Each structure stands twice: as C-alpha cells, then as structure tokens.
Amino acid sequence: MAYLTAGDPDLTTTREIALAAIDNGAEVIELGVPFSDPLADGPVIQRASERAVARGTRLSDVLALAAELRAARPACGLVLFSYLNPVVRMGMKAFCAAAKEAGADGVLLTDMIVEEAGEYLAEMQANDLAPIFLAAPTSPDKRLKAIGEASKGFVYAISRVGITGTQDKVASDAPELVARLRKFTKLPIAVGFGISNAAHVKAVGEFADAAIVGSALVALIEKTRQADAAKVVGAFIAGLLKGQG
C-alpha cells in the first residue's frame, strides 16, 4: 500500500505518481488530505501537507482526484486518509456520500477514535464504505476488540508508538500487535509507520498481510525533480516488490 499527500507537489503530479505506483505493483493507494496541523505525522509528511495547503489543495480537490484515479484504474484499492477537521467542515453525511461518489473503497480518519465513531460508522455503512481504524501497540485488548469489530476492509496496525517517519528497522512491537489483533478480527492487517525499504516490506510480510509505505515515498517525491517524480516512484515501488531498495 502506498500513501501519498495529495497536492504535493501539485494535483496533476500526484495523479501521475499514483498511477505509476499502481502500475508498478501498489495494490492500494492511500490519498492523504493535506491538513494544516497533522499531529500524527513526522516532519516529512508535515512539510508535504504544508506545501499542498499553500498551493490551495482542499478536500474537494482530493475527492476529485480520487474519482480520476478510480476511472483510470478501476481495480485498485482506494482509501481516503484525512484528519477529522476537514471532514467535519464538509459535514460527515456529505463527505461520506462524496467519497462514495468518487469511488473510494474506504476512509481512514487519523484522529477518529472508535469510541466516538457512531455517526461516522452509520454514514460509512449507508454509503457502503469501509471504515479503517488505527491500532497501536499501547491499545488494550478491549480497544483492539472494538477496533476489530468496527473496521471493514483492513485494520491499520501502527508499528510503533509515535509519529510517522522512516526508521532503521521494523519495530519489535509490530508482530505482537498483529498477533493480538488476529484474536479479534479476520480482516487483513496492514502495518505502517516507518516502513521504508525492501527489507522492511519483507519483514512485515512474515507476520502481516500488507505493508504501508508513506514517509519514504513522500521524502522521495520531495527530493526528486517534479517532471521525474512519477517515474522515480514507480521504480521505487517495483524495487520494493523485487526485494531491492
């Protein structure tokens, strides 16, 4: 799974990068809605959000981009990744209807906690969308059970406590968290936060169902010439799947 901050460096380039990622093996694209105060994210994605917000990228733009990707690559999984504030501003009912119309498969609201998700879950169900929740190593079993019961599509297991960002190796907490989650759900479990190279992807594949690569891609886009970004990201994704990079 590949995470991209929509609108960085611009929406047209994000579209090209997403298509290149899909064509080189990414099975799910997480389209990140840029937000002015991304508290769960590290410096790399914070900077990407700042750039996208400064360019004027809004939730409505990301929904339009999602619709373009769905039309271009109908078989790819498509998840909208956002903080709660932009969704509240649009209105939960309107957002879920718009996400469905755009062709999204699911939604992950970073700061939506399962204990307060009643309205969200109702609107997601009404629009046949998969609600995806974050599960952390510090979550007690009672909370993991609630997350497993409320989730559809897959569960996002955070590999470590803290913010997003690359790391040297997969956190030791991750396998234990996945094992605990499997007691409460039969859904696929994807591991993210810090997965940044082929060795990480291989390691995650030994105990989870999917690896989510985010900050490494966003950092690659940041340092690559805009005209080359799609090609470079495509090659990077292909390398991860071949055990290279």
Side-chain angles (χ1 to χ4, degrees):
M1 300 186 185
Y3 168 89
L4 302 171
T5 299
D8 179 49
D10 59 35
L11 288 162
T12 298
T13 306
T14 301
R15 180 183 184 277
E16 294 171 352
I17 291 169
L19 293 176
I22 295 165
D23 292 344
N24 283 278
E27 295 184 22
V28 177
I29 296 294
E30 289 185 346
L31 271 185
V33 178
F35 182 55
S36 58
D37 194 19
L39 295 177
D41 290 303
V44 170
I45 294 179
Q46 285 183 15
R47 291 195 300 270
S49 284
E50 289 171 1
R51 291 190 294 268
V53 168
R55 281 186 170 273
T57 306
R58 300 293 181 262
L59 176 54
S60 57
D61 299 313
V62 182
L63 289 164
L65 175 59
E68 292 179 11
L69 293 177
R70 172 56 67 224
R73 299 293 186 275
C76 184
L78 191 57
V79 174
L80 297 173
F81 193 115
S82 180
Y83 286 84
L84 185 56
N85 295 55
V87 172
V88 170
R89 185 179 179 87
M90 175 178 279
M92 187 64 72
K93 185 179 184 70
F95 166 74
C96 290
K100 176 63 175 179
E101 184 178 358
D105 296 301
V107 176
L108 194 161
L109 298 180
T110 309
D111 45 358
M112 169 63 78
I113 59 174
V114 68
E115 293 86 355
E116 298 179 1
E119 179 191 5
Y120 169 61
L121 290 173
E123 293 299 337
M124 291 289 283
Q125 182 176 3
N127 288 280
D128 194 28
L129 292 166
I132 299 155
F133 289 92
L134 298 172
T138 52
S139 298
D141 281 358
K142 181 179 179 181
R143 191 156 199 273
L144 294 184
K145 184 175 186 292
I147 288 170
E149 292 173 348
S151 297
K152 292 184 179 179
F154 67 92
V155 178
Y156 191 132
I158 298 174
S159 69
R160 68 177 193 274
V161 176
I163 57 178
T164 60
T166 59
Q167 59 185 13
D168 293 333
K169 61 183 179 179
V170 177
S172 59
D173 289 339
E176 180 184 356
L177 173 59
V178 171
R180 290 172 61 211
L181 276 167
R182 294 213 189 275
K183 295 187 295 184
F184 305 115
T185 182
K186 294 183 179 180
L187 292 174
I189 299 173
V191 173
F193 280 45
I195 311 304
S196 54
N197 59 44
H200 293 169
V201 172
K202 181 180 179 181
V204 167
E206 294 176 357
F207 62 88
D209 302 294
I212 301 169
V213 181
S215 293
L217 286 176
V218 176
L220 187 61
I221 293 165
E222 182 178 43
K223 68 182 183 182
T224 300
R225 195 167 68 99
Q226 185 170 336
D228 299 329
K231 181 179 179 180
V232 169
V233 168
F236 180 72
I237 295 289
L240 292 179
L241 294 174
K242 293 176 182 176
Q244 303 167 351

